[in-house]
Amino acid sequence: MFLKKNVEHGEVQGVRFINGLVSFKGVHLNVFCFETDGVLIDTGAQSLLNQFKPFFAEANIDQVVITHSHEDHTGGASYLQKEYGLPVLMNEMSVQECAKNATHPFYRKLFWGPRKSLTAQPIGEKFSSRNADWKVIATPGHAEDHLAFLNEGTGQLFSGDLFVNPRTKLVLRNENIPTIIRSIETVLSHDFDEMFCCHAGYVKDGRKAMEMKLDYLTGLREKTLTLHEEGRDEKEIQTQLFPKKYPISYLSFGEWDSIHMIRSILAEETH
């Protein structure tokens, strides 16, 4: 069963699909993409492509911009390029990687499907849509190539996976909490209010939500470093700060885990 949720706020059209066919102990795929002023922000996952196709067909799109190369954000890009001849713009550092079919662990193929190769163009620091100029903000941490997009006319921020949840409990192995903190500080230096997140959807008071996440992560960093100074090792710190285990940690063989949050904080402190 595929569950659909439409988002409409002003000129922004969005759609979210939850994949109820593939699940593990309640873990489901959940992803948004958004269209505004002729721009499609992210393309969903390959495993949900047939569900997204009617949205793509109805949307009036001139170009596709990608927040980062993870397969739940790029899975429909190859189809959009071949079916509609749309240009795809993304961080220059991932253009060559996305020119090849993606290789992922089995559980990610199960949930997201394989991301097919595409021909992308470097997006640069700015781009324009029909009626607006956009600022491209480098926001690494969740992924090295992660970008956020700010519509300078409307003040709307499209944050990719920078926000997702104000109280993050676990991350991917390659994520870096201190880098995410700096990226959140970067977006907060810009003028925005509304936010569109590729997993949380529309966030009315986006600035406040992002500030809440910043407060949470800086507090987590302080607690982690304090416990480390008291002589606790990373496992002891994890047990105290994150006692709950989540099904995705087992399903991903540890690629998703709270220990990566602790390790990234301690790694920066010791270098």
Side-chain angles (χ1 to χ4, degrees):
M1 177 178 64
F2 296 97
L3 304 178
K4 178 182 178 183
K5 178 180 179 181
N6 291 324
V7 172
E8 183 173 349
H9 188 79
E11 296 184 356
V12 179
Q13 307 292 322
V15 64
R16 177 187 73 170
F17 279 99
I18 301 173
N19 188 345
L21 296 178
V22 180
S23 64
F24 178 81
K25 294 186 177 180
V27 179
H28 300 287
L29 180 152
N30 163 28
V31 64
F32 281 88
C33 62
F34 303 100
E35 182 274 325
T36 181
D37 200 34
V39 178
L40 180 71
I41 296 104
D42 287 342
T43 68
Q46 171 70 22
S47 63
L48 293 173
L49 180 57
N50 286 336
Q51 283 65 48
F52 274 107
K53 281 180 180 179
F55 175 74
F56 295 153
E58 294 174 5
N60 190 357
I61 305 168
D62 302 322
Q63 58 186 318
V64 178
V65 297
I66 301 294
T67 60
H68 61 298
S69 59
H70 286 172
E71 63 274 17
D72 52 327
H73 298 259
T74 56
S78 179
Y79 166 80
L80 287 161
Q81 196 164 61
K82 293 175 182 177
E83 184 73 12
Y84 299 104
L86 293 170
V88 178
L89 288 76
M90 66 191 312
N91 195 318
E92 183 175 12
M93 69 175 64
S94 297
V95 168
Q96 290 187 352
E97 174 191 343
C98 287
K100 300 175 289 186
N101 290 339
T103 57
H104 304 301
F106 173 74
Y107 85 94
R108 287 169 63 172
K109 291 180 181 179
L110 185 67
F111 272 81
W112 311 119
R115 193 260 304 139
K116 295 182 179 179
S117 63
L118 61 130
T119 303
Q121 304 171 24
I123 195 169
E125 297 180 354
K126 288 181 176 290
F127 69 91
S128 296
S129 57
R130 296 169 185 171
N131 302 294
D133 293 322
W134 294 70
K135 184 171 291 186
V136 177
I137 308 170
T139 49
H142 170 70
E144 187 180 7
D145 67 337
H146 196 283
L147 303 171
F149 305 125
L150 176 64
N151 185 321
E152 296 184 291
T154 64
Q156 293 168 321
L157 180 74
F158 292 81
S159 58
D161 282 0
L162 182 61
F163 174 69
V164 180
N165 190 299
R167 297 181 64 84
T168 304
K169 301 298 185 183
L170 71 173
V171 297
L172 281 164
R173 182 175 287 111
N174 292 329
E175 292 193 56
N176 186 290
I177 296 302
T179 303
I180 291 173
I181 288 172
R182 289 190 287 270
S183 290
I184 293 175
E185 291 171 338
T186 297
V187 297
L188 288 172
S189 70
H190 294 83
D191 187 15
F192 74 95
D193 187 15
E194 294 179 328
M195 179 170 65
F196 294 84
C197 169
C198 285
H199 294 286
Y202 171 64
V203 183
K204 181 178 180 181
D205 195 343
R207 172 169 292 275
K208 182 177 179 181
M210 199 67 88
E211 288 171 344
M212 289 174 60
K213 179 153 189 175
L214 178 62
D215 289 343
Y216 168 75
L217 291 180
T218 54
L220 172 64
R221 180 173 59 184
E222 291 172 5
K223 292 174 185 176
T224 298
L225 295 177
T226 297
L227 290 169
H228 183 63
E229 290 170 1
E230 292 174 356
R232 311 286 182 88
D233 63 25
E234 61 183 34
K235 283 292 187 180
E236 291 172 324
I237 296 171
Q238 180 190 31
T239 298
Q240 180 159 338
L241 298 182
F242 299 106
K244 184 177 178 179
K245 287 292 184 180
Y246 293 88
I248 190 64
S249 295
Y250 302 105
L251 178 63
S252 67
F253 300 99
E255 187 177 28
W256 284 92
D257 202 296
S258 57
I259 194 66
H260 308 314
M261 303 174 73
I262 306 300
R263 286 174 178 164
S264 67
I265 292 169
L266 296 180
E268 180 165 276
E269 182 67 15
T270 57
H271 286 82

